[in-house]
mmCIF file of all heavy atoms in Angstrom:
data_model
loop_
_atom_site.group_PDB
_atom_site.id
_atom_site.type_symbol
_atom_site.label_atom_id
_atom_site.label_comp_id
_atom_site.label_asym_id
_atom_site.label_seq_id
_atom_site.Cartn_x
_atom_site.Cartn_y
_atom_site.Cartn_z
ATOM 1 N N CYS E 178 0.524 6.011 -12.403
ATOM 2 C CA CYS E 178 1.076 7.212 -11.871
ATOM 3 C C CYS E 178 1.597 8.064 -13.026
ATOM 4 O O CYS E 178 2.299 7.500 -13.827
ATOM 5 C CB CYS E 178 2.068 7.056 -10.790
ATOM 6 S SG CYS E 178 2.610 8.538 -10.054
ATOM 7 N N ASN E 180 3.545 10.895 -12.496
ATOM 8 C CA ASN E 180 4.458 11.811 -12.037
ATOM 9 C C ASN E 180 5.834 11.738 -12.362
ATOM 10 O O ASN E 180 6.686 12.652 -12.417
ATOM 11 C CB ASN E 180 4.374 11.892 -10.435
ATOM 12 C CG ASN E 180 3.181 12.655 -9.999
ATOM 13 O OD1 ASN E 180 2.816 13.618 -10.561
ATOM 14 N ND2 ASN E 180 2.585 12.327 -8.786
ATOM 15 N N MET E 181 6.241 10.591 -12.882
ATOM 16 C CA MET E 181 7.527 10.333 -13.507
ATOM 17 C C MET E 181 8.782 10.949 -12.552
ATOM 18 O O MET E 181 9.615 11.639 -13.059
ATOM 19 C CB MET E 181 7.747 11.151 -14.793
ATOM 20 C CG MET E 181 6.679 10.662 -15.851
ATOM 21 S SD MET E 181 6.469 8.855 -16.077
ATOM 22 C CE MET E 181 7.787 8.609 -17.296
ATOM 23 N N CYS E 182 8.734 10.498 -11.341
ATOM 24 C CA CYS E 182 9.897 10.767 -10.401
ATOM 25 C C CYS E 182 11.035 10.061 -11.032
ATOM 26 O O CYS E 182 10.946 8.870 -11.419
ATOM 27 C CB CYS E 182 9.631 10.447 -8.920
ATOM 28 S SG CYS E 182 8.215 11.284 -8.301
ATOM 29 N N PHE E 184 13.654 8.490 -10.079
ATOM 30 C CA PHE E 184 14.260 7.187 -9.516
ATOM 31 C C PHE E 184 13.109 6.060 -9.632
ATOM 32 O O PHE E 184 13.454 5.002 -9.244
ATOM 33 C CB PHE E 184 14.471 7.558 -7.999
ATOM 34 C CG PHE E 184 13.295 8.005 -7.248
ATOM 35 C CD1 PHE E 184 12.315 7.212 -6.749
ATOM 36 C CD2 PHE E 184 13.122 9.349 -7.113
ATOM 37 C CE1 PHE E 184 11.202 7.688 -6.101
ATOM 38 C CE2 PHE E 184 12.036 9.955 -6.404
ATOM 39 C CZ PHE E 184 11.025 9.057 -5.932
ATOM 40 N N CYS E 185 11.829 6.400 -10.016
ATOM 41 C CA CYS E 185 10.818 5.425 -9.848
ATOM 42 C C CYS E 185 10.363 4.710 -11.037
ATOM 43 O O CYS E 185 10.306 5.177 -12.080
ATOM 44 C CB CYS E 185 9.598 6.129 -9.327
ATOM 45 S SG CYS E 185 8.326 5.082 -8.865
ATOM 46 N N VAL E 187 7.576 2.772 -11.192
ATOM 47 C CA VAL E 187 6.142 2.518 -11.122
ATOM 48 C C VAL E 187 5.450 3.094 -12.368
ATOM 49 O O VAL E 187 4.575 2.362 -13.071
ATOM 50 C CB VAL E 187 5.401 3.120 -9.841
ATOM 51 C CG1 VAL E 187 3.997 3.323 -10.084
ATOM 52 C CG2 VAL E 187 5.959 2.473 -8.668
ATOM 53 N N PRO E 188 5.697 4.277 -12.957
ATOM 54 C CA PRO E 188 5.093 4.763 -14.120
ATOM 55 C C PRO E 188 5.199 3.824 -15.445
ATOM 56 O O PRO E 188 4.394 3.719 -16.263
ATOM 57 C CB PRO E 188 5.591 6.207 -14.453
ATOM 58 C CG PRO E 188 6.084 6.560 -12.974
ATOM 59 C CD PRO E 188 6.642 5.361 -12.439
ATOM 60 N N GLN E 222 -1.357 4.732 -6.067
ATOM 61 C CA GLN E 222 0.025 5.060 -6.129
ATOM 62 C C GLN E 222 0.108 6.603 -5.646
ATOM 63 O O GLN E 222 1.028 7.014 -5.057
ATOM 64 C CB GLN E 222 0.567 4.979 -7.464
ATOM 65 C CG GLN E 222 1.618 3.980 -7.564
ATOM 66 C CD GLN E 222 1.226 2.525 -7.455
ATOM 67 O OE1 GLN E 222 0.292 2.081 -8.173
ATOM 68 N NE2 GLN E 222 1.730 1.771 -6.613
ATOM 69 N N ASN E 274 0.814 12.429 -2.267
ATOM 70 C CA ASN E 274 2.012 13.129 -2.814
ATOM 71 C C ASN E 274 1.811 14.659 -2.604
ATOM 72 O O ASN E 274 0.874 15.152 -2.987
ATOM 73 C CB ASN E 274 1.985 12.820 -4.451
ATOM 74 C CG ASN E 274 3.274 13.279 -5.047
ATOM 75 O OD1 ASN E 274 3.610 14.484 -4.828
ATOM 76 N ND2 ASN E 274 3.949 12.354 -5.708
ATOM 77 N N ARG E 313 10.775 15.934 -8.468
ATOM 78 C CA ARG E 313 9.587 16.094 -7.568
ATOM 79 C C ARG E 313 9.118 17.586 -7.686
ATOM 80 O O ARG E 313 9.902 18.481 -7.681
ATOM 81 C CB ARG E 313 10.009 15.927 -6.005
ATOM 82 C CG ARG E 313 10.587 14.530 -5.767
ATOM 83 C CD ARG E 313 9.437 13.288 -5.827
ATOM 84 N NE ARG E 313 8.739 13.394 -4.540
ATOM 85 C CZ ARG E 313 7.832 12.429 -4.191
ATOM 86 N NH1 ARG E 313 7.654 11.502 -5.129
ATOM 87 N NH2 ARG E 313 7.181 12.371 -3.030
HETATM 88 S S1 LIG A 501 4.630 9.660 -7.321
HETATM 89 FE FE1 LIG A 501 6.692 9.362 -8.030
HETATM 90 S S2 LIG A 501 7.441 7.824 -6.483
HETATM 91 FE FE2 LIG A 501 5.406 7.823 -6.382
HETATM 92 S S3 LIG A 501 4.620 6.093 -7.728
HETATM 93 FE FE3 LIG A 501 4.620 8.069 -8.859
HETATM 94 S S4 LIG A 501 6.482 8.246 -9.971
HETATM 95 FE FE4 LIG A 501 6.696 6.601 -8.262
#
Side-chain angles (χ1 to χ4, degrees):
C178 186
N180 279 331
M181 304 310 277
C182 301
F184 55 83
C185 186
V187 170
Q222 246 72 51
N274 187 306
R313 302 285 283 184

